[in-house]
Amino acid sequence: MEIPEIANFIVYSNQLSRRHFMNKQDSEKLRTTFNDIYGADGDQPVLFFAPGRVNLIGEHTDYNGGFVFPCAIQYGTYLLVRKNYGNLIRLASVNEPEKTVLPVENPFSKQPVRWFNYPIGVFDQFNKKGIGITGMDLLFYGDIPANAGLSSSASIEMVTAFALNHLLNGGLEIQALVKMAQKAEHEFAGVQCGIMDQFAVGMGKANHAVFLNCSNLEFKQVPVPLSGHKLVITNTNKPRSLADSKYNERVAECQLAVAFLSDKFSITKLGDLGFPQFFKAQDCIPDEVIRRRARHVISENQRVLASVSSLMKNDLSQFGTLMNVSHDSLRDNYEVTGFELDTLVEEARKVRGVLGSRMTGAGFGGCTVSLVKESSIPAFMEKVGTGYKATTGLTADFYIAEIGDGVRKVES
Ligand code: GLA
């Protein structure tokens, strides 16, 4: 079975992408595609959605037991799914050419095609919880750029987890699904990620950011008063080769920093240490690179706290400054930015009406997020797009983020 013509589903362009939410016509198109692939007989498939996320500040702090401050966005992954009452799981995506069929009774294993691992990793988690899996037909459609630092993978994992919980009457709370999705990423995608992405996708709320303490998962949804400004996401469109292994390398470097610091302090994670304590004791880390890694994480934690209080006081300009400092630390101390992200940020900061600009997500390519006065957005796109192209030869894509709700059922 071939996946039918799909190009007209894709909405990205190097212009400003339109505000997207699937309307009735789009969802019917998706249902027609589903029927073309799997046949129209059987249960009516149910439509679910999980957003991607943009992290406002608090980068590379989550796996260190620190604070993060992400929000869910309007772009993400749709999933049409139904039970097929057989013993086969069938997977297809509008965005990807590959599809697969797996027997339910076999233990699930890592797949050679990368994107299969996100849903299959989640099936595996349900298996491990003893929630009996039955045959299912699944069709995914993402309107979020993949592998660009906006959590397209967490969005696939969470939409799958939420849908399985619904169809199999799993009775699990969203936070349990969040943890299962994170495990799926560790075990099937091989990335030792923190919990931020899955948590933001699960617990996001319109017009709010999720202020999360990753050491105990206490969180608060904090209003983001943008008053005349927008969050503009800009994609470097730089291919992110080796990003996963560099990410895992940073995780290991932070563990090393903890090992040095724990001679002096009884800590198990960098997030356990305040900046003044670290500042006085930092020389107990003999390696200069490891010391800088720790400096980023511990100072970034403070910036999250300062950002939350700035927003609570409606001080957008202070928040913008903190975004800038965060990027500079990710560039100089954590070294996860690179030429393309740094160029985008430099160009953005030259434009009037930009309060702050920083990379978002893991880095090594991917996207920046900028806080831009609404009336300056056309000039922002023009100037940043032109400057970026002239310096890097690449074309940037722009997305205006709307802060949306977390994972949900869209239609029965
Ligand atoms: C990726 C990971 C997250 C987090 C960020 C960096 O998005 O999946 O857990 O570590 O990078 O802040």
Side-chain angles (χ1 to χ4, degrees), residues 179-240:
K179 290 183 192 158
M180 289 161 79
Q182 182 197 23
K183 275 218 159 141
E185 180 93 25
H186 288 181
E187 292 171 12
F188 277 67
V191 182
Q192 295 309 309
C193 64
I195 198 142
M196 168 172 74
D197 302 348
Q198 292 80 7
F199 205 96
V201 170
M203 305 306 293
K205 178 173 168 187
N207 304 318
H208 289 66
V210 183
F211 172 39
L212 170 67
N213 179 346
C214 300
S215 68
N216 56 13
L217 299 191
E218 278 176 13
F219 73 102
K220 196 169 176 209
Q221 290 153 324
V222 177
V224 181
L226 287 172
S227 41
H229 294 76
K230 292 274 184 196
L231 295 166
V232 182
I233 295 171
T234 311
N235 191 349
T236 56
N237 284 320
K238 179 199 171 190
R240 294 210 297 172

Side-chain angles (χ1 to χ4, degrees), residues 53 55 58-63 193-197 247 361-362:
R53 65 98 190 92
N55 188 19
E59 219 65 86
H60 290 277
T61 45
D62 60 350
Y63 52 84
C193 64
I195 198 142
M196 168 172 74
D197 302 348
Y247 182 94

Side-chain angles (χ1 to χ4, degrees), residues 97-412:
E98 311 89 358
K99 44 194 181 317
T100 193
V101 178
L102 298 162
V104 286
E105 68 270 17
N106 276 354
F108 296 106
S109 56
K110 264 180 119 164
Q111 302 291 308
V113 173
R114 190 181 163 91
W115 82 264
F116 293 159
N117 286 300
Y118 305 124
I120 296 298
V122 171
F123 273 99
D124 185 59
Q125 290 300 316
F126 274 75
N127 234 351
K128 286 183 176 145
K129 280 232 178 296
I131 299 176
I133 295 182
T134 59
M136 283 187 201
D137 299 330
L138 299 93
L139 175 64
F140 293 88
Y141 162 58
D143 65 359
I144 183 170
N147 201 20
L150 301 177
S151 294
S152 54
S153 58
S155 139
I156 301 176
E157 289 151 4
M158 282 301 295
V159 79
T160 309
F162 191 88
L164 291 190
N165 193 37
H166 181 90
L167 291 185
L168 301 171
N169 295 319
L172 299 168
E173 301 280 340
I174 301 228
Q175 290 205 33
L177 302 177
V178 164
K179 290 183 192 158
M180 289 161 79
Q182 182 197 23
K183 275 218 159 141
E185 180 93 25
H186 288 181
E187 292 171 12
F188 277 67
V191 182
Q192 295 309 309
C193 64
I195 198 142
M196 168 172 74
D197 302 348
Q198 292 80 7
F199 205 96
V201 170
M203 305 306 293
K205 178 173 168 187
N207 304 318
H208 289 66
V210 183
F211 172 39
L212 170 67
N213 179 346
C214 300
S215 68
N216 56 13
L217 299 191
E218 278 176 13
F219 73 102
K220 196 169 176 209
Q221 290 153 324
V222 177
V224 181
L226 287 172
S227 41
H229 294 76
K230 292 274 184 196
L231 295 166
V232 182
I233 295 171
T234 311
N235 191 349
T236 56
N237 284 320
K238 179 199 171 190
R240 294 210 297 172
S241 62
L242 295 180
D244 293 351
S245 60
K246 288 190 203 144
Y247 182 94
N248 290 344
E249 186 183 294
R250 292 296 178 280
V251 175
E253 287 170 338
C254 289
Q255 286 160 355
L256 199 53
V258 171
F260 286 125
L261 288 163
S262 55
D263 284 347
K264 264 213 149 75
F265 304 101
S266 66
I267 59 165
T268 55
K269 303 169 254 69
L270 287 178
D272 295 338
L273 207 57
F275 197 77
Q277 290 166 293
F278 166 74
F279 194 74
K280 274 194 243 143
Q282 57 183 317
D283 289 344
C284 72
I285 304 180
D287 184 313
E288 189 267 336
V289 171
I290 304 296
R291 208 180 308 137
R292 278 191 286 122
R293 303 296 189 247
R295 189 178 308 146
H296 166 73
V297 172
I298 297 170
S299 62
E300 183 80 350
N301 253 342
Q302 312 254 290
R303 283 187 287 275
V304 178
L305 299 176
S307 297
V308 173
S309 58
S310 308
L311 286 182
M312 286 170 125
K313 284 186 287 188
N314 264 324
D315 190 345
L316 272 190
S317 134
Q318 167 81 19
F319 174 54
T321 305
L322 290 159
M323 291 172 79
N324 287 341
V325 182
S326 165
H327 182 88
D328 297 352
S329 174
L330 288 155
R331 180 191 62 213
D332 301 335
N333 292 321
Y334 220 64
E335 296 179 283
V336 291
T337 59
F339 180 56
E340 292 79 4
L341 285 167
D342 291 337
T343 304
L344 275 185
V345 160
E346 263 167 47
E347 293 297 332
R349 291 181 190 169
K350 288 184 201 160
V351 180
R352 270 182 72 160
V354 174
L355 297 185
S357 184
R358 60 182 291 277
M359 58 152 268
T360 186
F364 313 107
C367 291
T368 61
V369 56
S370 307
L371 186 56
V372 189
K373 199 170 171 187
E374 271 181 66
S375 57
S376 303
I377 292 176
F380 176 88
M381 289 186 346
E382 215 277 306
K383 292 189 173 147
V384 174
T386 312
Y388 181 67
K389 175 99 188 175
T391 311
T392 63
L394 296 170
T395 302
D397 284 331
F398 297 92
Y399 302 83
I400 298 202
E402 303 287 337
I403 305 182
D405 287 316
V407 64
R408 56 199 180 263
K409 184 170 128 188
V410 179
E411 281 173 9
S412 298

